[in-house]
Amino acid sequence: MLRRVSRAVFYLGLFFLPLIFWRGIGDGYEFPKILFFERWVELLTLLVVIDYFLSKRVLKLNFFLIVLLLTFFLWNLVASWLGVDFTRSLFGIYWRWQGLITLLHYSLLAMVVLILKPSAQRAAQVLVTSALMECLYLLGLIFAKWLWDLPIYLYLGRAVGTFGNPDYLAGFLAICLPFCFYLRNKVVRTISFWFLIGGVILAASRGAILAMSLAGLIIGTIYVFRSKFKQLAFFLGLLLIVSSLVAVVFIRLDVNKFNTLESRERIYVRGLLAWVAKPILGYGLENYELAVSKIDYLKKVRPEYEVK
C-alpha cells in the first residue's frame, strides 16, 4: 500500500514541479521550484525508507549506478571544499540555487527512482500533460498581453510562462517532445507533439529551436534507414519551413554583438581558459563566475583590446 502511495507522490510531484512559481517574492520562479523539489524528494525518501522498514524487503539496487552516484556527489563535494567559495557551492547562487544541497537531492531522487521503479509510460504521460498545461498558460499570457494589454512579466519582450525565462521554458517543452511518443492514442499523441512545438516557437528560443531541428534531422535519418522516405520528406520539409519562419520572425540577431567584449565568444573562451588552469577539481560548484573573473582574457586572447 505504501509503495503505491510513494509512486502516486512521485507522479504528482513530476506533474506540479514545472508549474510551481510565486511572483510575490524576489526570485519567484527558480526558488519556489527548488523549495518544492527538495521537500518532494525528502517526502519520497521518507516514504521509501518507512516502506522498507515495515515490509522488511531486501533492497536490490544496481551497484554500479549507486557507486557512480556516490562518486559524482563526493567529487563535487571535494571540489567545492577546495574551491573558491564553499558557502556559495553549498547553497548555490541566488538566481539558480544549484548548490551541493540541491545536488544531494538530485542523487536521492535517482536512488528513489531505482527503488520505486515507476512506470516509464505513466511518467511520460504525466510530463506531457504538465507540458501541455504550460503551453496553455503561455498562450493565456500572450493573449492577455497582446489583446488586452494586461501587465504581465516579460523577458526581452517574450512571455516566460512559469519559468521566468523563455529559454528555460522552451527547453522544458523541447525536452518533453520525445515523451509524446509514449502516449497510446495516436490522435492525442500527434496533437500533443505539434502543440508542444508551437509552444517552443512562441517562446522564441534559438537554442530550443536548434535542438528541435537537430532532433528532427536525427529522427529523419532513422526514417531513411527504415525506408519510410515519404514520412521523412514530409516531416523534414515541414520542420524546415517552420524553423525558417521562426528564424525570420522571432530571431533578431545582431551581428555586431559578436565583436564586443560582452559577447558569447568572451564567455566561452574565458570558461575554457579557466578549465585549462584547473582541469581536475576546478573552482567548486556554482563558482563559474568567480572562475572566469580570474582569467586575463584581454591580454591572452584579444590583445587588440588591451589598454595601453
Side-chain angles (χ1 to χ4, degrees):
M1 179 64 183
L2 197 55
R3 174 64 68 91
R4 292 183 179 179
V5 173
S6 301
R7 285 175 177 166
V9 170
F10 173 77
Y11 295 132
L12 285 172
L14 203 61
F15 174 79
F16 284 109
L17 180 59
L19 305 176
I20 295 293
F21 75 104
W22 184 15
R23 285 286 297 148
I25 61 177
D27 179 13
Y29 294 98
E30 293 290 330
F31 182 67
K33 282 184 173 59
I34 290 296
L35 197 64
F36 176 83
F37 170 76
E38 291 179 352
R39 303 296 82 77
W40 171 52
V41 172
E42 289 164 7
L43 177 59
L44 278 173
T45 305
L46 180 63
L47 289 173
V48 167
V49 171
I50 293 175
D51 176 47
Y52 272 86
F53 268 110
L54 294 178
S55 62
K56 297 181 180 180
R57 292 192 184 98
V58 178
L59 283 177
K60 295 181 180 180
L61 299 176
N62 188 313
F63 179 75
F64 174 75
L65 288 178
I66 297 298
V67 170
L68 193 64
L69 280 172
L70 290 175
T71 303
F72 177 70
F73 179 77
L74 291 175
W75 185 280
N76 278 279
L77 179 62
V78 172
S80 300
W81 180 259
L82 300 176
V84 179
D85 188 341
F86 181 72
T87 302
R88 182 184 177 121
S89 296
L90 185 64
F91 296 99
I93 66 173
Y94 178 75
W95 297 109
R96 287 197 295 266
W97 304 97
Q98 298 293 317
L100 288 168
I101 295 176
T102 306
L103 185 64
L104 175 62
H105 285 78
Y106 290 151
S107 303
L108 286 174
L109 179 61
M111 291 185 183
V112 166
V113 170
L114 287 174
I115 295 171
L116 286 180
K117 297 179 180 178
S119 167
Q121 185 173 33
R122 182 68 58 82
Q125 291 170 347
V126 169
L127 270 176
V128 171
T129 305
S130 182
L132 291 174
M133 295 294 292
E134 185 70 39
C135 287
L136 290 174
Y137 181 64
L138 176 63
L139 284 173
L141 289 177
I142 292 173
F143 282 128
K145 177 63 179 177
W146 304 116
L147 292 183
W148 299 291
D149 197 26
L150 296 179
I152 66 170
Y153 177 74
L154 299 175
Y155 181 87
L156 299 178
R158 296 178 289 170
V160 299
T162 64
F163 283 82
N165 187 306
D167 296 328
Y168 302 161
L169 166 63
F172 167 68
L173 297 178
I175 287 173
C176 289
L177 279 172
F179 295 108
C180 292
F181 294 100
Y182 278 86
L183 303 180
R184 294 178 179 177
N185 188 289
K186 185 176 181 180
V187 175
V188 175
R189 182 169 64 240
T190 304
I191 293 175
S192 300
F193 183 81
W194 289 106
F195 204 74
L196 293 187
I197 286 182
V200 174
I201 292 171
L202 289 175
S205 169
R206 286 178 298 199
I209 292 170
L210 288 173
M212 191 171 62
S213 302
L214 179 60
L217 291 174
I218 293 173
I219 294 173
T221 304
I222 294 173
Y223 273 121
V224 166
F225 286 104
R226 291 186 178 181
S227 302
K228 294 185 179 180
F229 183 76
K230 292 182 180 179
Q231 292 94 327
L232 166 68
F234 173 77
F235 182 82
L236 287 183
L238 189 60
L239 187 64
L240 289 173
I241 291 172
V242 171
S243 300
S244 300
L245 289 174
V246 170
V248 172
V249 176
F250 289 102
I251 301 174
R252 298 181 293 276
L253 183 63
D254 184 5
V255 178
N256 293 324
K257 181 180 177 182
F258 290 91
N259 295 322
T260 66
L261 287 178
E262 300 300 325
S263 67
R264 295 282 181 179
E265 174 199 7
R266 183 185 187 186
I267 296 173
Y268 296 151
V269 172
R270 292 182 71 173
L272 180 61
L273 291 173
W275 175 79
V276 170
K278 297 185 69 174
I280 306 299
L281 292 177
Y283 297 82
L285 201 62
E286 287 287 270
N287 286 327
Y288 176 79
E289 287 85 354
L290 299 177
V292 297
S293 66
K294 295 179 178 293
I295 302 300
D296 192 352
Y297 171 84
L298 297 182
K299 293 182 180 179
K300 290 185 177 181
V301 183
R302 301 297 293 273
E304 65 269 24
Y305 286 112
E306 183 180 355
V307 179
K308 298 180 179 180

